[in-house]
Amino acid sequence: WYFTTGTVTDQEAPVISGSNIADGATGIAINSKLRFVMDESVSSFSVADSVHLSVNGVDVTGTATLASDNRTITFTPSSTLAINTDYTVVLNGLYDYIGNPLAAVTSHFTTGSLSVNDTQTPTVSITPSHGATGVGVNTPITFTFSEAIDPTTLDSGISITGNGFSGEIAGDFSRNGNVVSFNPLTSLPGNTQLYVVVNGVLDLAGNSNSYGYSYITTGTGGDTTAPTLLSISPSDGAMDVYGSNPIVLTFSESLNRSTVNSSSVGLFVNGAIVSPSFSYSGDSRTVTLSYNLPASSIITVLLTNDVKDLSGNRLADTAKVFATAAASDTARPSIVTALPGNGSYNVLSKNKVVLYSNEPLNSSTLQSALHVSQNGVLINGDLQLIGDNRTLIFTPAQPWAKEAYIEVFLDSMAQDTSGNALNSFHTQFRIEEDPTKKAPYVLALNTDDGIQMPLNPAIDLQFNEPLDPSTVNSSTFVLRDYSASGNPEIMVSVSLLKGDRVVRLTPDQPLQAGHGHYMGIRSGLKDAGGTNSTQISDYNWYFTTSQTEDGIAPKVTALSPTEGATEVGINNRISIRFDESVSPISFLGDDVDLPLAQVPNYDARTYSLSFSDSNRQVTYVPHEPWPVDSDVTVTVATPEDYAGHVVESAAHTFHTINGPDTAAPTVEEWSIISNATNVPVNAVFKVRFSEAIDPVSVTESSFYLSDTVTGQKVAASRSVSSDGRTLTLVSEQALAVGRSYYLYAYPVQDMNGNNVYQYRYFTTALAADNTAPQISGYSLNADQVDVATNAVLQVQFDEPV
């Protein structure tokens, strides 16, 4: 649940501001409902038993409901009322949000003699009559209804507007029996066509009126009094104002909405103008400015005499000033990343739990707030809070049990350094299976990666556990050409790699282009403990070959963080881009405790390695943070392509900061303004960010131009500045003239994997721009003397720069 506080405390009890049946009313229809309008919002918990309708002390059953405005209560009797009967109504038990109780209210009414329900819609006649002209500007507008109506529905059911003006004309309603009069707050605007609509006025049984409509034209004269500002909230001179509070302006009369905008109303923050959003009350007397005001700032609201009422009278120039409060931390901290990830399985028994918070935590509050269970039983362990107190590391006292279900709870007893309670956090994962309880089986094959195998492949089969080397040979593994007659067996060399977990089949001769092939396991294969494999077949797995051999080793074309990068978060990931597809299995090490391949979508190992762009792009996320304030060297030396060629080694060294980076970068500047027009068809597009961008994340899928006519991406080149903060895009050919485009950075990522989603819309000019911009003016003359020491120095150009 979410709520926002107001600007004042509530010390007054709610009172009834209106009801549909007056005390002492007679002739009330037997299917009538009771409706009450309160002067403030009331708690929904107090409504159910708040209305008591009784006859001779016996309660009538019914249901009380609260409308969405939290101020209107409707009581609907469960059955029709008795005729010619006196009823007592007691409204009691209501209270507002602070608990101030309503003083009990009692009233009476008597039903009529008709024993049938009132289902007729009330009709209405309007005076002055439809089409009347020369109507006096002080003439009341009256509505005569055919039966008693619910006065609480007049405001919502009657609308009076003026031609050419937005919003309704301010005024109030008075009632005498079935006749209602509208009394404008000020004289009606002269020589104006007014539209009167009656739609939604209810009778006492809840029947809505038959639609009523009229237009009249006023005569000469009208309102000659200028509007005034009655109040502003926050008040003039207020201090310590909360920055998210709206600015509410209340005027003496209805305004012409078209004159109340950013041209006539200025909002300044420390002297700099900003652009709030405007909203208006129905009668245009209340204007609300919404803007997230910064802390510790002087706010000025300037109202100019361009603000007018409906008769064209101008508001006097008015200025109001208040100050926002100093920044304070009232936000609850949250855990933004957990490793292993939620729902992971096959997590290593030696893994730790790492939690990254979006703000520093109070270490003294964590021990009692963190609860870790293994198969439903709480366990002990060591808790560390490192760096800038945003990284929690839990190390279990004993390695996790095989196949155990682990749950991690960090409850709201944990607090940030300002005392704000943490948003409670929960994650869960499952520990790797026990290989002693399993027969050896193939966990992953590089032939299943969706990459067409070269004619000289290195075929890797990754097993769930170490194998017995003496059982791994050409007798237990077979490769057949399924496209050749008889499916002949292909001679292969068999080797055991990666801590005896990966079997590699290398054909003795190049395979046939475009042929299908089957691989299988024959009896005799055992794990290190002597258990036989059950995957016995010559036709277990299938793949096809490409048209060529692969004779070139892969190269690293991009590696981030970049060489010499600083300000890198301790949660930083490593991004690598290769010039060809690489095999995920080749990333495994000889250490059997290293993470296994990332085959299932929710396997814990996907949080270590993930692959994209046909396995040419690889992201590595460490399960434990990098050391704080340290140099870290990353070396890429073991990956192989699908022919078994080892990558040309590459290495980068970067320096970490004192904590994690969990905030997404922001755009500081675009080379084009929002909704720009006349953009040259040969424009160069740039975007500058608040921090370095991962160059590996800058691709044709994340930083591009989109043509709104063709719906296609524009062929373009991309580059990243040396500091990593500015992205540049250059179209390979001139853009179409007079056409709309979108420039997307959607998404690109910072060095820590935080996404930013931004775009710009623009329209091109009818020609290329091959002329350099020229200076057309200065704010100072050449050799000018006695220039003020606080002068604003400006240079004007003859075109946008």
Side-chain angles (χ1 to χ4, degrees), residues 194 212 403 493 706:
L194 304 182
E403 302 179 358
S493 299
S706 177

Side-chain angles (χ1 to χ4, degrees), residues 649-698:
S649 181
H652 277 179
T653 299
F654 58 88
H655 194 86
T656 60
I657 56 177
N658 196 35
D661 178 4
T662 60
T666 58
V667 173
E668 291 186 342
E669 189 175 4
W670 298 83
S671 60
I672 54 173
I673 63 172
S674 179
N675 300 315
T677 58
N678 291 320
V679 174
V681 295
N682 60 337
V684 174
F685 300 95
K686 296 188 177 186
V687 188
R688 184 165 181 80
F689 292 88
S690 58
E691 61 178 300
I693 297 299
D694 180 357
V696 177
S697 75
V698 182

Side-chain angles (χ1 to χ4, degrees), residues 208-518:
S208 181
N209 73 281
S210 57
Y211 183 81
Y213 170 77
S214 176
Y215 72 83
I216 59 176
T217 304
T218 57
T220 59
D223 178 18
T224 60
T225 303
T228 58
L229 178 66
L230 296 182
S231 67
I232 178 173
S233 176
S235 59
D236 188 28
M239 304 292 290
D240 296 327
V241 173
Y242 188 50
S244 64
N245 280 355
I247 300 171
V248 182
L249 308 169
T250 303
F251 296 88
S252 59
E253 58 179 306
S254 296
L255 300 178
N256 183 344
R257 283 191 194 177
S258 65
T259 69
V260 187
N261 49 47
S262 56
S263 296
S264 60
V265 178
L267 179 62
F268 296 83
V269 175
N270 296 324
I273 193 165
V274 297
S275 299
S277 61
F278 289 76
S279 59
Y280 312 87
S281 63
D283 61 5
S284 300
R285 289 185 59 204
T286 302
V287 179
T288 302
L289 311 182
S290 298
Y291 190 84
N292 192 16
L293 300 172
S296 301
S297 298
I298 301 299
I299 310 301
T300 303
V301 180
L302 181 62
L303 308 174
T304 72
N305 64 6
D306 288 330
V307 175
K308 302 176 184 178
D309 64 15
L310 300 182
S311 297
N313 301 304
R314 293 177 178 270
L315 180 79
D317 290 340
T318 305
K320 302 294 181 181
V321 180
F322 60 89
T324 55
S328 60
D329 180 12
T330 59
R332 298 179 66 174
S334 298
I335 299 300
V336 294
T337 304
L339 293 172
N342 187 44
S344 303
Y345 63 94
N346 274 348
V347 174
L348 301 179
S349 296
K350 67 177 184 179
N351 260 39
K352 301 176 183 179
V353 176
V354 180
L355 305 177
Y356 292 109
S357 170
N358 64 343
E359 57 179 301
L361 300 177
N362 182 344
S363 59
S364 66
T365 66
L366 297 179
Q367 199 69 49
S368 61
L370 182 67
H371 315 278
V372 180
S373 69
Q374 178 173 264
N375 293 326
V377 178
L378 291 177
I379 63 170
N380 296 320
D382 176 60
L383 175 64
Q384 293 177 281
L385 186 63
I386 68 170
D388 59 356
N389 287 4
R390 291 195 291 140
T391 304
L392 291 79
I393 303 175
F394 175 81
T395 306
Q398 302 293 330
W400 307 113
K402 298 291 186 181
E403 302 179 358
Y405 178 66
I406 309 301
E407 290 185 277
V408 180
F409 306 86
L410 188 61
D411 63 37
S412 58
M413 294 297 291
Q415 299 176 358
D416 63 16
T417 53
S418 298
N420 299 306
L422 178 91
N423 289 308
S424 296
F425 177 79
H426 168 258
T427 187
Q428 51 84 23
F429 54 88
R430 191 173 292 278
I431 304 303
E432 62 189 338
E433 63 185 25
D434 186 350
T436 63
K437 299 179 180 180
K438 299 280 186 179
Y441 66 90
V442 173
L443 183 66
L445 303 94
N446 64 352
T447 57
D448 287 346
D449 292 342
I451 309 298
Q452 202 168 43
M453 301 298 285
L455 303 184
N456 57 332
I459 304 168
D460 288 340
L461 298 86
Q462 180 191 339
F463 283 79
N464 64 316
E465 59 177 321
L467 301 177
D468 178 354
S470 67
T471 67
V472 179
N473 50 57
S474 57
S475 297
T476 50
F477 288 87
V478 61
L479 175 65
R480 291 184 178 276
D481 188 338
Y482 193 67
S483 297
S485 176
N487 304 337
E489 186 174 337
I490 298 172
M491 300 301 295
V492 295
S493 299
V494 181
S495 53
L496 190 58
L497 313 171
K498 309 293 184 182
D500 295 341
R501 289 194 176 193
V502 175
V503 174
R504 173 166 291 183
L505 309 183
T506 306
D508 293 346
Q509 299 292 328
L511 302 179
Q512 296 297 310
H515 277 213
H517 299 79
Y518 266 106

